Amino acid sequence: MAVSVIAVVALAATVLGATIVPSRNDPLEFSTCGRVWVTVHSPEIKQTRQPDLIDALEVNWDFSSCSSIPKNIAIFKSRPLAWKDAEWFHSINTPQGYILTDVTLGEGALPGGWLTGPGLKGPHCLWPWVAAGDDEIQAYNCLKIQPTWMEDHTDKIGHLRIGELAIAGTHNAGAWRFNTEISNLARDSFVLCQDRSVWAQLVHGIRYLDFRIAYYEFYQNVDDRYWLNHNLVRVRPLVPLLREIRIFLDTTKEIVFLDAHHFPMGFYDQTGAPLQHVHAGLLEIIQRELGPHLAFANDFATGVGTKGPTVQTLLDADKRLVFSYVDNSVVNQNNWLWPVLPHLWANTNNPTQLFEYLDQAIANSPQPNARSPLHSAMAQTTPTILDIVFLRGSLRQNADAVNRNVTARLATKWRQQANIVSTDFFLGDDVIDLSIAINVERGSRL
Ligand SMILES: *[C@@H]1O[C@H](CO)[C@@H](O)[C@H](O)[C@H]1NC(C)=O
């Protein structure tokens, strides 16, 4: 799809001057029909004679189920009340779509007191709001954090089993910024999958973290040997990331799903046999850092082919970390570990094939004999070796090519059956807010 950068339009709509009266219990998202939402463009935009534009805002709309399409869409700095207050304004004439703007998110600091520690409960808006309508504003929304969404909705979703939830996840959650002796690059073409810290991911509403853990024996201190990698590239040390998760679990009532999904280095000998002391060392660190929050599988799992404990069961026990482990031989020796969490992974660099695969895979999940109550749709393309060698594209461009479609699929085809949906550069999709809405829907149906 051709993407155009639309210049800021001088605000011709001032004359419309329409206002809406906000209700007393002001929701952050409002609509009479259809939806608007804000996303963040993952690739940087090259500009002539100006620095690259980073974190450009995208405005998205879907009024395909409505009798009429609004004519205007605009970005606001605060709750949209009148068109004349807009920062950026554009007209639209299709039932659904998006516009890439040249307005940047800027720092994107976490609001509500959540910058580095716990803040106020409930959703909070970052600055960008979007509104659509004709004379009147008909729908609005904002880019938000959802730090306590499970607690906010416990009365509606508490009786859902964890395998019945829709959960926003991050693929390769640790690959968000280098922290090594050799590199502190913030933006890399083929290694970094995220650009928000693990803390920020959790505060935004991500509840599933896919970790790729590697072991480097040459460090003196055992803690220093465990790293989060992207394949063979060392990105960040593990322990500080576990501490971010710990603070989040200590200060909220949210459930977090942590998945040790791949051990690219140092966990196996040449014959492929697990190195027991390396696995044991990792499990010790997990127990030490997250122990009080661990929901042991032997206490809570509900058996093969079932959907696991309910949200309420985990909350009542105050055991809110579900830790799954990719090696079943290790799981068999440590029955507190949750078994291999199936990844629905297309292993393709082609978006069309990715969606064909995921449509099928989600419809056929969970498998009747699945050991894990959970499954994760890996909603990102995978570059080939040749893509990387010839620097064809980047993970940011790849994410941009699929993330909007992931949002659209989750709202439609995947709505009934999706469990975890993991993406790269998650601010480019709306999986968090959509999952929350889907959970409330599923909760009211059961
Ligand atoms: C993504 O969505 C757009 C807009 O609906 C569509 O034109 C495009 O074909 C979709 N891409 C894939 C790979 O499904």
Side-chain angles (χ1 to χ4, degrees), residues 1 351-352 355 405:
M1 181 197 296
T352 306
F355 288 108
N405 297 65

Side-chain angles (χ1 to χ4, degrees), residues 127-274:
W127 74 267
W129 292 72
V130 57
D134 294 335
D135 290 356
E136 303 229 326
I137 290 171
Q138 185 178 318
Y140 66 68
N141 199 350
C142 64
L143 184 66
K144 38 182 130 45
I145 56 169
Q146 295 276 9
T148 56
W149 67 262
M150 288 184 173
E151 185 182 1
D152 302 341
H153 298 287
T154 307
D155 56 334
K156 301 190 194 79
I157 68 172
H159 61 289
L160 291 176
R161 296 181 180 279
I162 58 177
E164 292 165 338
L165 291 174
I167 299 163
T170 43
H171 165 234
N172 230 321
W176 71 276
R177 184 176 291 171
F178 283 101
N179 181 1
T180 68
E181 302 85 339
I182 49 161
S183 174
N184 58 5
L185 270 185
R187 299 172 83 85
D188 172 274
S189 296
F190 283 106
V191 174
L192 300 181
C193 299
Q194 308 298 338
D195 54 9
R196 294 297 185 272
S197 71
V198 165
W199 169 260
Q201 292 175 35
L202 293 168
V203 168
H204 270 277
I206 297 289
R207 291 292 173 270
Y208 167 82
L209 303 169
D210 161 27
F211 272 16
R212 315 291 168 104
I213 306 171
Y215 179 78
Y216 298 91
E217 185 107 356
F218 57 77
Y219 287 98
Q220 275 271 269
N221 184 334
V222 175
D223 273 14
D224 296 340
R225 295 178 181 169
Y226 292 88
W227 283 71
L228 289 204
N229 272 36
H230 189 152
N231 300 324
L232 301 183
V233 183
R234 219 155 23 110
V235 184
R236 300 188 75 86
L238 172 68
V239 171
L241 301 183
L242 297 179
R243 296 197 175 144
E244 293 179 32
I245 299 172
R246 175 64 187 259
I247 296 172
F248 188 75
L249 287 166
D250 281 351
T251 54
T252 65
K253 299 215 159 32
E254 302 296 288
I255 300 169
V256 175
F257 301 91
L258 180 61
D259 187 12
H261 194 79
H262 188 206
F263 300 115
M265 285 282 271
F267 278 73
Y268 293 89
D269 70 14
Q270 276 117 341
T271 70

